[in-house]
Amino acid sequence: DGGITQSPKYLFRKEGQNVTLSCEQNLNHDAMYWYRQDPGQGLRLIYYSQIVNDFQKGDIAEGYSVSREKKESFPLTVTSAQKNPTAFYLCASSRDRGYGTEAFFGQGTRLTVV
Amino acid sequence: DQQVKQNSPSLSVQEGRISILNCDYTNSMFDYFLWYKKYPAEGPTFLISISSIKDKNEDGRFTVFLNKSAKHLSLHIVPSQPGDSAVYFCAASPNRGGTALIFGKGTTLSVSS
């Protein structure tokens, strides 16, 4: 089945530690995105990538880093510089930047800092 | 400043009645709009979309209306069913061939039987 897989579903991290969230898609989509959801805040864009080896900062990129070495994969690292990392993280992909392209989402990763 | 606004955090409707969810946007460069449905602890799923060249798009029980002059769109669900209870996000795409979707904060719909 084609889709987007995020892992793990739940993740606990100690303060001061970096942690990497995985996102893999087998939809052959060019573009991939990371969003963060907080209660009452909707979905806020962290980073996006339109093509392999290229990515752009979103609205709340501080404290995060990404890489796009393969078309299928877009891992997100939450660094110790992120002041409030506890949130629900969503990865998405879309066919391309073309007009009228909807994004498809993974099931999300719940990150909790303990 | 929010570019996509969903001013009603919640909406309660009885089964069989119409649900109307509203969304306003400020950026006149937006030309493609989408609605997503989300259950707790799951990713959003695409529901319906509309381009700026149309003012209405219909898919089964779901209809989206776009009023470009008012920078307003709405999602109508008729008839509403208990399974429609979820958070609904409005999203907009800036520019033709644009970048990532910009989302509103969502409206929680509760449909009671």
Side-chain angles (χ1 to χ4, degrees):
Chain A
D1 282 276
I4 303 173
T5 302
Q6 289 187 243
S7 61
K9 191 167 178 63
Y10 298 97
L11 189 57
F12 295 89
R13 187 195 94 176
K14 291 183 180 179
E15 276 196 52
Q17 287 182 338
N18 292 356
V19 64
T20 298
L21 282 60
S22 170
C23 178
E24 304 277 332
Q25 54 99 359
N26 60 5
L27 299 166
N28 200 33
H29 283 172
D30 287 312
M32 296 187 74
Y33 315 86
W34 275 104
Y35 288 90
R36 168 178 170 148
Q37 185 188 14
D38 296 281
Q41 290 294 320
L43 277 65
R44 293 184 291 168
L45 181 66
I46 305 173
Y47 267 99
Y48 64 98
S49 168
Q50 305 289 354
I51 196 170
V52 173
N53 292 323
D54 186 52
F55 47 82
Q56 307 294 328
K57 290 182 180 180
D59 299 321
I60 55 167
E62 185 176 349
Y64 299 97
S65 66
V66 293
S67 63
R68 188 85 187 276
E69 297 177 2
K70 298 186 300 182
K71 187 176 185 177
E72 305 79 21
S73 178
F74 191 40
L76 173 74
T77 297
V78 185
T79 74
S80 56
Q82 168 49 234
K83 292 182 174 54
N84 186 19
T86 294
F88 190 54
Y89 290 87
L90 288 158
C91 179
S93 70
S94 62
R95 189 174 65 245
D96 53 33
R97 291 183 63 182
Y99 178 67
T101 303
E102 65 262 27
F104 295 87
F105 284 83
Q107 291 298 296
T109 293
R110 170 74 61 186
L111 172 64
T112 303
V113 174
V114 296
Chain B
D1 192 29
Q2 264 195 292
Q3 299 185 69
V4 177
K5 300 177 185 179
Q6 294 178 257
N7 292 320
S8 298
S10 62
L11 174 68
S12 295
V13 172
Q14 281 192 321
E15 182 178 7
R17 307 293 287 268
I18 184 171
S19 295
I20 300 176
L21 296 97
N22 293 305
C23 178
D24 297 295
Y25 61 96
T26 57
N27 190 337
S28 57
M29 295 302 290
F30 288 155
D31 56 7
Y32 188 65
F33 304 90
L34 308 90
W35 285 94
Y36 281 82
K37 177 180 178 180
K38 185 181 181 302
Y39 294 114
E42 293 185 7
T45 55
F46 170 72
L47 201 55
I48 192 169
S49 62
I50 188 167
S51 71
S52 59
I53 60 173
K54 294 185 175 182
D55 54 19
K56 176 183 174 181
N57 189 26
E58 195 170 350
D59 183 2
R61 296 186 297 115
F62 302 92
T63 303
V64 56
F65 295 91
L66 175 63
N67 182 334
K68 289 188 292 294
S69 60
K71 293 191 177 67
H72 176 83
L73 64 154
S74 60
L75 174 68
H76 293 212
I77 306 175
V78 182
S80 300
Q81 299 173 354
D84 295 330
S85 298
V87 179
Y88 288 79
F89 289 100
C90 172
S93 177
N95 306 318
R96 287 186 176 273
T99 57
L101 297 174
I102 307 296
F103 285 84
K105 292 188 176 184
T107 297
T108 300
L109 173 65
S110 300
V111 180
S112 56
S113 54

